[in-house]
């Protein structure tokens, strides 16, 4: 079971890199994605039994390339184009070197496929696409999220999201697989950053499954954000997003107990936090705030910094956090930010004040388990045991994350009845 899980993690890590390599080489986004999925299925069947190859990414590229070539050959209308592409592809290109291996004849540089994921990221955020399809397609292709996971992140039905992704693929068919120039890059940056943040969030708190934390997704989001920052080192939003990720991910080791159970922020052993990541994040927050007017990522990073700077939960500067949430909801008035603000209101002005804020979000977050979870916590603090127990059970029923559901049911059971 453990070996199977390790293989799944490895496949999620390499999938966007393999897709990027195929799109760069053949230029067929939709068939390339299908070929990558077939290669991933083949690996999922073979690797747990036969062992992971020395160069897993090269293995996946080779298998996916063969599947794609077969697929293109089966289409008479594309036969000539496919044969020309295959003839021009060097034989050793099907065995892409590992990420840290220098490119043969490349003057000591890194493998070309190192940049493929970043190029794929900007391709999916093509300006011909509206923001919603940009984000959906990128989460699918680069983040490796399922359509159901993307739909849940956007609070829309799965069928709606599937149509959105399919339309986006058709619209960018034939687009050049190259990194955009500065002006074009700037037009795509907002969507790029939003996608990276959503990928990170899915990694930090998985919306479904047995694991609370999908570490490989969080790490990949951080890696890609670092790459974007190398392109735009003085962009405050990019710097702020990287700071936010580092300050949040620094708590990962303390978020789960020995059996994978969820440990909330106020109960975590803060000595287990990654202090190097905290220090880097704090330095980046200062840099981000100095790079111009603060946007949503800089403000959220500043909130995360106040949590990470507190040596104990009771030392948290909640009045300052509330002030920052007031700024955040003015900049980005979306329900989850307002739910975070409701918690801050409760910590400063008492649980009843927080419950009033939560009730105001009931229509916009109807049926979302996080609304029920926050309501349960505030009802418990207010002394309404029966109401809190019912809200904890409602939240547990609404989440697809097994660790979250167990935690919420445990909180309900602790209240008796």
């Amino acid at each position: 079971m453990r070996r199977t899980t390790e293989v799944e993690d490895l496949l999620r890590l390499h999938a966007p890199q393999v897709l990027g390599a195929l799109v760069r080489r053949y230029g067929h986004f939709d068939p390339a994605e299908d070929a990558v999925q077939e290669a991933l299925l083949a690996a999922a069947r073979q690797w747990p039994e036969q062992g992971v190859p020395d160069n897993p990414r090269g293995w996946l590229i080779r298998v996916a390339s063969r599947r794609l070539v077969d697929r293109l050959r089966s289409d008479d209308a594309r036969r000539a184009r496919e044969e020309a592409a295959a003839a021009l592809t060097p034989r050793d290109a099907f065995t892409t070197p590992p990420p840290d291996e220098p490119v043969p004849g490349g003057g000591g540089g890194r493998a070309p496929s190192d940049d493929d994921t970043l190029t794929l990221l900007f391709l999916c955020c093509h300006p011909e696409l509206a923001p919603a399809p940009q984000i959906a397609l990128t989460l699918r292709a680069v983040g490796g999220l399922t359509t159901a996971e993307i739909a849940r992140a956007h609070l829309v039905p799965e069928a709606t999201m599937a149509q959105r992704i399919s339309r986006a693929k058709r619209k960018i068919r034939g687009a050049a697989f190259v990194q955009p120039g500065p002006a074009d890059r700037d037009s795509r940056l907002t969507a790029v950053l939003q996608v990276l943040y959503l990928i990170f969030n899915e990694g930090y708190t998985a919306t479904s499954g047995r694991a609370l934390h999908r570490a490989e997704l969080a790490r990949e989001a951080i890696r890609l954000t670092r790459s974007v920052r190398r392109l735009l080192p003085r962009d405050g939003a990019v710097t702020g997003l990287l700071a936010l990720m580092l300050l949040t991910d620094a708590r990962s080791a303390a978020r789960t107990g020995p059996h994978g159970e969820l440990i909330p922020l106020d109960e975590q052993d803060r000595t287990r936090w990654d202090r190097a990541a905290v220090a880097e994040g704090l330095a980046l927050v200062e840099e981000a705030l100095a790079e111009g007017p603060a946007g949503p990522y800089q403000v959220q990073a500043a909130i995360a910094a106040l949590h990470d700077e507190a040596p104990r939960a009771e030392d948290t500067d909640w009045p300052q956090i509330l002030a920052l949430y007031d700024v955040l909801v003015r900049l980005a008035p979306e329900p989850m930010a307002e739910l975070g603000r409701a918690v801050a209101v409760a910590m400063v002005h008492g649980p009843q004040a927080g419950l009033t804020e939560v009730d105001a979000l009931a229509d916009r977050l109807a049926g979302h388990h996080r609304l029920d979870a926050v309501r349960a916590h505030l009802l418990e603090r207010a002394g309404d045991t029966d109401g809190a127990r019912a809200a904890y059970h409602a939240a547990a029923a609404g989440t697809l994350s097994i660790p979250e559901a167990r935690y919420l049911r445990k909180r309900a059971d602790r209240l008796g009845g």
Side-chain angles (χ1 to χ4, degrees):
M1 180 66 178
R2 182 178 176 183
R3 189 169 189 176
T4 300
T5 302
E6 291 172 352
V7 166
E8 290 174 352
D9 291 346
L10 197 59
L11 294 178
R12 288 194 192 99
L13 174 65
H14 288 300
Q17 300 170 9
V18 175
L19 178 58
L22 260 68
V23 174
R24 170 171 54 84
R25 188 171 300 154
Y26 297 104
H28 301 282
F29 190 99
D30 223 0
E33 188 179 35
D34 291 339
V36 171
Q37 291 301 316
E38 292 177 17
L40 295 175
L41 288 172
R45 287 193 298 267
Q46 296 179 32
W47 292 2
E49 298 296 328
Q50 301 175 12
V52 177
D54 292 337
N55 181 3
R57 187 175 66 188
W59 188 98
L60 289 167
I61 290 175
R62 184 172 64 253
V63 172
S65 296
R66 288 172 179 168
R67 302 291 172 90
L68 181 57
V69 167
D70 289 343
R71 185 181 296 262
L72 295 176
R73 279 179 177 153
S74 69
D75 188 340
D76 291 339
R78 297 180 182 176
R79 182 182 298 275
R81 182 168 56 187
E82 180 277 323
E83 288 175 350
L88 291 172
T89 302
R91 182 177 180 82
D92 58 1
F94 288 98
T95 54
T96 302
D100 296 323
E101 183 177 311
V103 184
R110 293 172 67 82
S113 56
D114 277 1
D115 293 329
D116 285 345
T117 309
L118 190 61
T119 304
L120 183 63
L121 178 65
F122 278 95
L123 173 65
C124 292
C125 293
H126 198 282
E128 289 189 10
L129 298 175
Q134 283 179 335
I135 293 165
L137 179 61
T138 315
L139 287 172
R140 185 77 185 89
V142 180
L145 304 189
T146 66
T147 304
E149 289 169 340
I150 300 169
R152 283 195 295 273
H154 287 80
L155 306 178
V156 301
E158 184 176 349
T160 301
M161 187 56 66
Q163 291 175 354
R164 190 177 293 175
I165 293 171
S166 295
R167 285 196 298 267
K169 288 179 186 176
R170 289 195 298 269
K171 200 155 188 178
I172 66 166
R173 187 176 294 159
F177 189 78
V178 294
Q179 284 197 22
D184 197 14
R185 184 176 61 207
D186 290 346
S187 71
R188 307 184 194 192
L189 185 61
T190 298
V192 165
L193 296 184
Q194 188 170 355
V195 165
L196 291 174
Y197 187 35
L198 288 169
I199 293 172
F200 175 80
N201 283 339
E202 178 61 30
Y204 188 69
T205 303
T207 56
S208 63
R210 295 185 175 277
L212 179 70
H213 188 213
R214 294 167 65 176
E216 80 291 341
L217 272 184
R219 285 196 299 266
E220 181 68 0
I222 291 172
R223 185 187 75 80
L224 287 171
T225 306
R226 288 190 188 279
S227 297
V228 175
R229 187 166 183 264
R230 282 194 290 272
L231 289 174
L232 302 165
R234 292 181 177 81
D235 189 286
V238 178
T239 304
L241 179 58
L242 180 58
L244 173 59
M245 290 179 178
L246 290 170
L247 290 166
T248 305
D249 197 58
R251 311 172 200 143
S252 294
R255 289 181 71 232
T256 54
H259 304 294
E261 65 273 21
L262 185 153
I263 301 176
L265 180 62
D266 60 346
E267 298 177 15
Q268 289 175 14
D269 177 0
R270 300 184 178 216
T271 63
R272 299 185 63 200
W273 289 0
D274 183 342
R275 287 297 161 188
V278 170
E280 183 183 1
L282 293 176
L284 287 171
V285 170
E286 292 186 11
E287 190 174 329
L289 293 174
E291 286 169 345
Y297 296 120
Q298 295 96 308
V299 175
Q300 290 179 83
I303 292 171
L306 288 170
H307 282 294
D308 286 17
E309 286 177 322
R312 302 174 304 165
E314 53 267 36
D315 298 326
T316 304
D317 189 348
W318 282 107
Q320 183 62 28
I321 288 175
L322 176 56
L324 287 170
Y325 266 116
D326 287 339
V327 174
L328 179 61
V329 297
R330 285 199 298 271
L331 292 171
E334 57 92 20
M336 285 303 170
E338 293 178 41
L339 189 60
R341 180 182 176 278
V343 174
V345 167
M347 298 303 294
V348 175
H349 301 297
Q352 289 296 345
L355 285 166
T356 300
E357 300 291 333
V358 169
D359 290 342
L361 294 169
D363 290 339
R364 296 166 67 193
L365 287 174
H368 199 292
H369 76 281
R370 297 209 185 281
L371 182 75
D372 289 318
V374 170
R375 179 182 283 116
H377 173 67
L378 298 184
L379 287 170
E380 182 180 355
R381 289 190 62 215
D384 184 351
T385 302
D386 292 339
R389 184 168 54 248
Y392 277 129
H393 280 303
T399 181
L400 296 178
S401 166
I402 294 174
E404 277 193 335
R406 286 175 177 163
Y407 167 77
L408 292 163
R409 284 193 288 267
K410 183 178 178 182
R411 296 287 299 219
D413 292 343
R414 192 173 67 181
L415 296 175

